[in-house]
């Protein structure tokens, strides 16, 4: 088979070889041909296997470039398929003592496939005259669309190959169905099927997401890059990228606006390829530890940048990024552990339009970021402590501007910090989960935040229901309260909450996330609670609401690994409604099926199946590990 068995794209039946599409092989592709090997040498070698109809060699693009003279490639067309099979059965090939690689040519480059196309064209020309009156062709296009919709993808592709009319029907369906193309849905296709599929569907794809499998990844990337030219959003993860691969994938996507490449082993050279994406506004490259930040400053149009988990990012590079990306509005530098004080000073000095900042705070002095003139959303992450100076600086500079504050540190709440937070009068979202120091006095101070719409006190067990009720009475705009794992809050808290809400004459209901709290899952059956269904909703499921509360994602893993509070055979809803809530259904929970496999891939696949997207990379992985 040649130099690498990964190139095996055929199988043997008796003494003949067939492609993965079951097309008989006559044509062989020869690669890694040394420069000194000529067509004559190749002809002499391959004639040993059988009669050759045609042999050709393709020379490198610039044969005079002695610094980078790429190996040649060639094609051999045998008269007898058994000769081609004999070549493919031979494990190693040497010409003039130099190794060469061989593989079968693609299915569509085999003579039998070409003959099929000729026969198909002739059949199309006379089809209407030869078919009986009961033929499927007598159906109108609406009926054909319904038939096609019920076919599996492989059969749909074969349907489209039948004739031009069927192809047009499939394309009409694809314009809607495949605006968002999930790569996992096409990974079982052969290369020929994928090629034909993308020729039809590719121009209509606007969102491309998923994983490009390692096998055939180069060819798949080429097909996607060639045909999906109108893509606006690309989200790819766990695919090994090299600069040339990335270039072939993205170079024709001139409309690309949003790009996310998660854990794809990006290097600085890969980032350099992105500079030709002139319309790129959103770039997320989480968990690519090899990039240093070099070349990102060339992407001047980027307004949202995520470097989450990119532990190789250098402070000097980040400062250059901040200088160049003057329109930057959202920046995520969580778990960029090499950043020092100069990096945060650069952010404060140059990011004058920054509205959202997510950052790790395990070292350096970072309180200068409180002076950002347009800052509205701030997320601070630390393994242990947050510097008290950041809170006092926020109270000084952001008291009438900051709208969201999310604190993820084991010891970020104390009296002085609480007083400073209470001065952020415009705060709408406050998250401070898993803090033992959050007590009744803390919530009483937070009750002064009258603009508050969401509060997350998940896992805080040292406050009482009375202090939380006091906050509910004072914060009339409150819409969501996360008390996940707050065991001290029981059914009586729900009853008291109903009384508080009744007096407020609320226009919008209050949603309480109560998974693993002390509240009974069947509290909704209490008549005293149920009559307030228009103003109170309680959910015992993990909160996945766009934009907020993603720090609770690890609860889904707890449900997977600990069956004490989750029964996958239970017909009861895991989301209990005291009335209708949005467009979420209340069926028998068929959409929420959890797997027992102890594997991160299964968790990601489950999340994608339920929510139609992969989970947020920040919080999910950190909290899981």
């Amino acid at each position: 088979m040649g130099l690498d068995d990964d190139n095996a794209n055929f199988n043997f039946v008796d003494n003949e070889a067939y492609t993965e599409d079951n097309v008989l092989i006559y044509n062989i592709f020869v690669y890694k041909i040394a420069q000194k090997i000529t067509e004559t040498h190749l002809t002499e070698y391959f004639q040993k296997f059988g009669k050759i109809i045609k042999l050709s060699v393709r020379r490198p693009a610039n044969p005079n470039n002695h610094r980078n003279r790429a190996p040649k490639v060639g094609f051999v067309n045998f008269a007898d398929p058994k000769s081609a099979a004999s070549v493919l059965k031979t494990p190693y090939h040497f010409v003039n003592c130099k190794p060469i690689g061989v593989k079968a040519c693609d299915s569509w480059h085999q003579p039998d496939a070409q003959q099929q196309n000729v026969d198909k064209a002739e059949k199309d020309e006379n089809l209407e005259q030869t078919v009986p009156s009961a033929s499927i062709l007598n159906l109108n296009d609406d009926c054909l669309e319904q038939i096609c919709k019920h076919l599996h993808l492989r059969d749909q592709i074969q349907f489209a190959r039948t004739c031009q009319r069927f192809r047009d029907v499939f394309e009409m369906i694809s314009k809607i169905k495949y605006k968002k193309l999930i790569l996992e849905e096409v990974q079982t296709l052969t290369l020929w099927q994928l090629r034909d599929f993308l020729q039809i569907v590719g121009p209509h794809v606007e969102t491309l997401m998923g994983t490009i499998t390692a096998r055939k990844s180069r060819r798949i990337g080429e097909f996607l890059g060639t045909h999906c030219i109108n893509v606006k959003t690309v989200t790819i993860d766990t695919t090994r990228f090299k600069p040339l691969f990335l270039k072939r994938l993205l170079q024709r996507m001139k409309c690309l606006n949003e790009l996310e490449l998660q854990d794809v082993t990006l290097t600085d050279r890969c980032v350099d390829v992105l500079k030709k994406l002139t319309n790129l506004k959103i770039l997320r490259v989480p968990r690519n530890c090899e990039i240093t930040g070099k070349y990102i400053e060339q992407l001047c149009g980027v307004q949202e940048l995520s470097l989450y988990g990119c532990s190789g990012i250098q402070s000097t590079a980040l400062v250059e990024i901040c200088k160049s990306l003057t329109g930057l509005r959202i920046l995520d530098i969580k778990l960029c552990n090499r950043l020092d004080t100069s990096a945060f000073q650069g952010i404060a000095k140059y990011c004058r339009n920054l509205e959202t900042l997510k950052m790790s705070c395990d070292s350096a002095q970072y309180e200068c970021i409180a002076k950002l003139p347009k800052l509205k959303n701030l997320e601070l992450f630390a393994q242990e402590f947050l510097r008290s100076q950041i809170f006092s600086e926020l109270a000084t500079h952001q008291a009438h501007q900051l709208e969201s504050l999310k604190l993820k540190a084991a010891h970020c709440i104390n009296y002085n910090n609480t007083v400073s937070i209470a001065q952020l009068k415009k705060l709408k979202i406050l998250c401070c989960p898993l803090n033992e120091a959050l007590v009744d006095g803390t919530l009483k101070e937070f009750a002064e935040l009258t603009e508050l719409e969401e509060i997350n006190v998940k896992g805080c067990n040292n406050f009482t229901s009375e202090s939380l009720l006091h906050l509910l009475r004072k914060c009339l705009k409150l819409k969501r309260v996360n008390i996940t794992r707050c065991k001290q809050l029981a059914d009586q808290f729900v009853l008291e909450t109903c009384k508080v809400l009744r007096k407020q004459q609320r226009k919008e209901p209050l949603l309480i996330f109560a998974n693993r709290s002390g509240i009974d899952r069947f509290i909704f059956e209490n008549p005293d609670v149920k009559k307030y269904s228009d103003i109170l909703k309680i959910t015992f499921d993990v909160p996945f609401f766009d934009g907020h509360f993603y720090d609770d994602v690890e609860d889904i893993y707890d449900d997977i690994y600990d069956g004490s509070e989750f029964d996958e055979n239970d017909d009861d809803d895991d989301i209990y409604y005291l009335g209708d809530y949005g467009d979420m259904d209340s069926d028998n929970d068929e959409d929420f099926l959890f797997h027992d496999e102890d594997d991160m891939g299964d968790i990601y696949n489950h999340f994608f199946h339920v929510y139609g997207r992969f989970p947020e990379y920040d919080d999910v992985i950190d909290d899981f590990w």
Side-chain angles (χ1 to χ4, degrees):
M1 285 179 285
L3 298 177
D4 48 315
D5 290 343
D6 287 342
N7 277 305
N9 58 342
F10 51 85
N11 58 79
F12 295 104
V13 178
D14 297 328
N15 293 321
E16 296 176 333
Y18 293 83
T19 69
E20 59 183 351
D21 298 285
N22 204 33
V23 177
L24 188 60
I25 295 173
Y26 289 83
N27 295 343
I28 301 297
F29 175 65
V30 188
Y31 57 100
K32 294 186 179 179
I33 305 172
Q35 292 294 325
K36 293 183 179 180
I37 297 177
T38 64
E39 288 189 19
T40 301
H41 294 141
L42 290 172
T43 301
E44 292 175 354
Y45 177 76
F46 284 111
Q47 278 179 341
K48 300 176 184 178
F49 295 93
K51 181 180 178 181
I52 296 174
I53 295 177
K54 183 178 181 181
L55 184 147
S56 61
V57 175
R58 180 181 298 172
R59 300 185 180 278
N62 187 2
N64 296 321
N65 185 351
H66 295 280
R67 295 183 61 187
N68 185 22
R69 299 186 67 176
K72 297 181 289 187
V73 297
F75 303 89
V76 184
N77 174 214
F78 286 98
D80 185 351
K82 293 181 180 179
S83 301
S86 180
V87 172
L88 296 174
K89 283 183 177 180
T90 304
Y92 302 103
H93 297 270
F94 293 89
V95 177
N96 290 354
C97 299
K98 301 290 185 181
I100 60 173
V102 300
K103 59 185 291 189
C105 285
D106 293 311
S107 298
W108 59 93
H109 288 145
Q110 299 297 339
D112 281 5
Q114 296 171 5
Q115 185 60 41
Q116 287 176 16
N117 289 336
V118 172
D119 295 341
K120 173 178 170 295
E122 294 175 351
K123 183 178 179 181
D124 287 350
E125 186 176 351
N126 302 307
L127 193 57
E128 293 187 0
Q129 301 176 6
T130 59
V131 294
S133 58
S135 168
I136 190 175
L137 289 177
N138 291 333
L139 298 176
N140 61 37
D141 287 354
D142 290 338
C143 292
L144 291 175
E145 281 189 25
Q146 293 303 315
I147 293 173
C148 187
K149 286 178 180 179
H150 286 80
L151 298 176
H152 293 295
L153 181 57
R154 286 174 176 263
D155 296 325
Q156 287 180 331
I157 296 170
Q158 192 61 39
F159 176 89
R161 288 171 171 174
T162 304
C163 64
Q164 185 62 45
R165 184 184 173 202
F166 285 11
R167 181 187 177 96
D168 293 340
V169 168
F170 178 60
E171 183 172 7
M172 187 63 64
I173 296 172
S174 303
K175 288 180 179 180
I176 300 174
K177 183 175 181 180
Y178 293 108
K179 279 190 175 182
K180 177 189 286 187
L181 177 59
I182 311 301
L183 294 174
E184 282 75 8
E185 294 179 357
V186 298
Q187 65 182 2
T188 60
L189 299 180
T190 68
L191 281 178
W192 193 9
Q193 290 170 337
L194 181 63
R195 172 178 174 265
D196 287 359
F197 172 77
L198 290 177
Q199 284 178 344
I200 300 171
V201 171
H204 309 296
V205 175
E206 296 182 1
T207 300
L208 185 65
M209 63 187 303
T211 301
I212 299 178
T213 55
R215 187 172 180 266
K216 306 176 185 175
S217 60
R218 181 180 65 83
R219 303 295 305 281
I220 294 172
E222 289 177 356
F223 290 161
L224 292 170
T226 299
H227 301 294
C228 300
I229 58 176
N230 296 313
V231 168
K232 298 178 181 178
T233 302
V234 172
T235 302
I236 296 178
D237 64 273
T238 57
T239 300
R240 186 172 180 82
F241 276 174
K242 292 184 178 180
L244 183 58
F245 176 86
L246 194 62
K247 181 178 179 180
R248 287 172 174 168
L249 175 65
L250 300 176
Q251 64 181 350
R252 299 188 65 190
M253 298 181 181
K254 303 301 182 182
C255 301
L256 192 61
N257 176 269
E258 178 178 346
L259 176 63
E260 179 173 328
L261 303 173
Q262 178 183 345
D263 192 18
V264 296
T265 62
L266 283 184
T267 63
D268 289 337
R269 288 181 58 206
C270 292
V271 175
D272 190 34
V273 172
L274 305 181
K275 63 187 178 184
K276 294 186 178 181
L277 301 175
T278 55
N279 291 313
L280 193 63
K281 302 297 181 185
I282 300 173
L283 176 63
R284 305 187 190 100
V285 287
R287 295 195 171 275
N288 288 284
C289 299
E290 295 183 31
I291 62 175
T292 65
K294 187 178 181 182
Y295 301 125
I296 295 179
E297 75 276 2
Q298 299 176 353
L299 310 176
C300 299
V302 169
Q303 298 177 6
E304 177 180 340
L305 175 64
S306 174
L307 302 172
Y308 175 88
C310 297
S311 55
I313 296 295
Q314 304 289 334
S315 294
T316 52
L318 184 60
V319 172
E320 292 302 315
I321 291 171
C322 294
K323 286 182 181 179
S324 299
L325 275 56
T326 56
L328 194 63
R329 297 187 301 104
I330 301 174
L331 176 62
D332 186 349
I333 49 173
K334 289 172 63 179
L335 298 183
C336 295
N337 299 323
R338 295 190 181 184
L339 300 180
D340 56 25
T341 301
S342 65
F344 298 107
Q345 291 174 341
I347 293 173
K349 182 177 180 180
Y350 299 110
C351 295
R352 312 308 291 174
N353 293 306
L354 198 65
E355 297 177 4
T356 299
L357 176 61
K358 302 178 181 181
M359 52 183 273
S360 293
C361 308
D362 289 318
S363 61
Q365 299 177 13
Y366 48 81
E367 51 270 16
C368 54
I369 59 97
K371 298 180 181 179
L372 287 167
K374 295 186 178 181
L375 188 64
K376 292 183 179 180
N377 309 294
L378 179 62
E379 185 171 327
L380 303 176
F381 173 82
Q383 295 293 339
E384 291 292 336
F385 298 93
L386 291 173
R387 290 169 59 87
S388 58
Q389 293 91 330
I390 184 65
F391 296 100
S392 58
E393 288 293 303
L394 287 173
T396 301
H397 300 285
Q398 300 291 337
H400 301 288
Q401 181 170 287
L402 196 67
E403 296 181 358
S404 174
L405 179 61
K406 297 183 179 182
L407 308 173
K408 299 184 181 179
H411 306 288
C412 65
I413 296 297
N414 58 41
Y415 177 76
N416 291 331
N417 294 349
T418 299
V419 171
S420 297
I421 293 172
Q423 297 180 45
L424 304 174
K425 299 302 182 182
K426 295 294 183 180
L427 209 60
K428 296 181 180 180
I429 301 170
L430 176 59
C431 298
C432 44
L434 305 174
N435 271 275
E436 295 181 358
L438 194 149
V439 295
D440 288 344
T442 307
L443 291 182
K444 289 180 181 179
E445 290 290 339
F446 290 166
E448 300 301 317
L449 301 172
T450 56
E451 297 295 318
L452 206 61
E453 297 180 3
E454 300 184 7
I455 186 167
N456 183 340
V457 291
K458 181 194 72 174
C460 301
N461 293 299
N462 292 326
F463 67 88
T464 64
S465 60
E466 287 75 13
S467 59
L468 187 54
L469 288 169
H470 174 72
L471 185 140
L472 291 175
R473 293 188 188 98
K474 298 275 288 185
C475 300
L476 302 180
K477 297 182 180 181
L478 208 57
K479 298 177 182 178
R480 294 177 181 173
V481 177
N482 190 336
I483 55 171
T484 300
R485 301 183 189 176
C486 294
K487 299 291 187 180
Q488 75 278 23
L489 300 179
D491 294 357
Q492 187 60 36
F493 167 72
V494 177
L495 296 172
E496 294 297 326
T497 298
C498 289
K499 296 177 182 179
V500 172
L501 299 180
R502 180 184 60 186
K503 295 178 181 180
Q504 292 178 350
Q505 297 181 344
R506 298 174 63 93
K507 295 182 179 180
E508 294 187 37
L510 175 69
L511 176 62
I512 296 179
F513 299 95
N515 186 41
R516 298 198 175 194
S517 68
I519 299 173
D520 191 328
R521 284 178 173 258
F522 297 97
I523 186 66
F524 71 98
E525 295 181 354
N526 187 323
D528 293 333
V529 176
K530 195 170 186 179
K531 64 184 179 181
Y532 296 108
S533 60
D534 58 329
I535 56 176
L536 179 61
K537 317 290 181 183
I538 299 178
T539 172
F540 291 92
D541 196 26
V542 182
F544 287 111
F545 290 91
D546 290 340
H548 313 304
F549 289 105
Y550 287 118
D551 52 300
D552 282 326
V553 173
E554 81 275 14
D555 286 336
I556 200 170
Y557 306 132
D558 296 335
D559 283 334
I560 295 173
Y561 298 124
D562 181 1
S564 61
E565 296 191 31
F566 183 85
D567 182 1
E568 64 180 4
N569 297 316
D570 189 1
D571 289 334
D572 294 323
D573 298 339
D574 279 324
I575 297 181
Y576 296 104
Y577 299 96
L578 307 182
D580 295 331
Y581 185 75
D583 58 356
M584 302 180 71
D585 59 7
S586 55
D587 54 20
N588 65 349
D589 204 25
E590 292 177 353
D591 295 331
F592 292 82
L593 300 177
F594 295 91
H595 302 284
D596 293 327
E597 290 86 354
D598 186 14
D599 185 83
M600 281 296 294
D602 292 327
I603 296 171
Y604 266 81
N605 290 337
H606 159 73
F607 187 102
F608 176 82
H609 173 71
V610 174
Y611 299 101
R613 60 178 176 79
F614 291 103
E616 294 285 322
Y617 40 81
D618 57 350
D619 305 322
V620 177
I621 307 301
D622 297 332
D623 291 334
F624 176 79
W625 291 112

